[in-house]
Amino acid sequence: QQQVKQSPQSLIVQKGGISIINCAYENTAFDYFPWYQQFPGKGPALLIAIRPDVSEKKEGRFTISFNKSAKQFSLHIMDSQSGDSATYFCAANNAGNMLTFGGGTRLMVKP
Amino acid sequence: GAGVSQSPSNKVTEKGKDVELRCDPISGHTALYWYRQSLGQGLEFLIYFQGNSAPDKSGLPSDRFSAERTGGSVSTLTIQRTQQEDSAVYLCASSLSPGSPYGYTFGSGTRLTVV
């Protein structure tokens, strides 16, 4: 019940296209859903996060869509750029508990 | 410091030797986490420290792995009698609290190679 399932494992998108990464969870007590971005040789860094009281959060080209009834959330990267090529991790937790991370998605944006 | 500092950044060791990996968290962060990341893989949780509470060691893969956090700040991850399967990047992270809305701040990791 603590798992967060992430898909796809890898993704290739043309420059300018939309990258979509999906995550699903089981624990209905989760109330915080962040996404982390990791470049080679670096640790993951917080990218954007959402709480379940809203269905969507947008920051620049990055949008989280949240579907509470389906227990799913996704990251959309609009107008994908080569600099977006990285590994992305979704995660979830609730207050007082540590994050549970998804398995990661390796995104490659091709020119 | 401004971020989480890990040392060394790279470590090559012979099979059977012990290694110590160090993590300096952000000042004031009460929670500290160790993760392991094998090449191209996800984040494998190892151990979690929160304030003065007993650490959550549920992710440690064997009794060759141990960690301590002194004075609620610096943490050391020790791997005894290293094996080739221990080769990975070891990442440390810290946060204000486990559920902090500011998330976790990760260090750049220690790349361990066991030859």
Side-chain angles (χ1 to χ4, degrees):
Chain A
Q1 191 167 13
Q2 286 298 108
Q3 278 190 322
V4 176
K5 296 182 180 180
Q6 183 172 346
S7 63
Q9 285 187 310
S10 63
L11 180 62
I12 300 174
V13 173
Q14 290 294 127
K15 180 181 176 182
I18 302 173
S19 304
I20 302 174
I21 305 170
N22 301 297
C23 284
Y25 63 97
E26 291 294 326
N27 187 345
T28 55
F30 285 154
D31 63 3
Y32 176 65
F33 303 89
W35 286 87
Y36 283 76
Q37 179 188 53
Q38 183 182 29
F39 293 108
K42 300 293 184 183
L46 179 63
L47 181 63
I48 186 173
I50 197 169
R51 294 201 181 269
D53 52 344
V54 296
S55 60
E56 185 175 283
K57 182 174 181 180
K58 184 175 181 179
E59 289 184 1
R61 296 184 293 108
F62 299 89
T63 300
I64 300 179
S65 296
F66 184 80
N67 186 329
K68 188 173 182 178
S69 61
K71 293 184 286 186
Q72 295 176 347
F73 58 110
S74 59
L75 176 69
H76 296 234
I77 307 174
M78 311 301 287
D79 186 27
S80 298
Q81 302 297 312
S82 58
D84 299 329
S85 295
T87 299
Y88 293 82
F89 293 95
C90 63
N93 75 341
N94 56 294
N97 294 305
M98 41 181 295
L99 286 171
T100 297
F101 285 92
T105 297
R106 182 176 290 185
L107 171 65
M108 180 184 299
V109 179
K110 299 189 78 173
Chain B
V4 175
S5 178
Q6 291 188 246
S7 60
S9 55
N10 283 284
K11 177 73 176 178
V12 180
T13 190
E14 292 182 350
K15 178 181 173 182
K17 299 283 189 182
D18 298 352
V19 296
E20 283 189 353
L21 312 180
R22 178 186 168 101
C23 173
D24 278 279
I26 291 175
S27 178
H29 279 194
T30 63
L32 186 147
Y33 320 82
W34 283 98
Y35 290 86
R36 179 167 70 175
Q37 188 172 33
S38 299
L39 187 62
Q41 300 301 308
L43 301 169
E44 178 188 3
F45 165 71
L46 297 177
I47 188 169
Y48 154 53
F49 296 89
Q50 169 55 35
N52 295 321
S53 302
D56 177 351
K57 304 179 181 180
S58 60
L60 294 178
S62 78
D63 58 9
R64 296 186 295 106
F65 288 73
S66 64
E68 63 177 17
R69 188 179 185 190
T70 55
S73 182
V74 172
S75 177
T76 302
L77 177 69
T78 301
I79 309 174
Q80 295 179 311
R81 305 180 303 281
T82 52
Q83 304 294 311
Q84 288 186 329
E85 61 263 29
D86 299 334
S87 295
V89 174
Y90 289 81
L91 290 163
C92 175
S94 70
S95 66
L96 283 169
S97 66
S100 170
Y102 302 103
Y104 294 6
T105 301
F106 282 85
S108 293
T110 293
R111 181 176 297 277
L112 175 66
T113 304
V114 182
V115 297

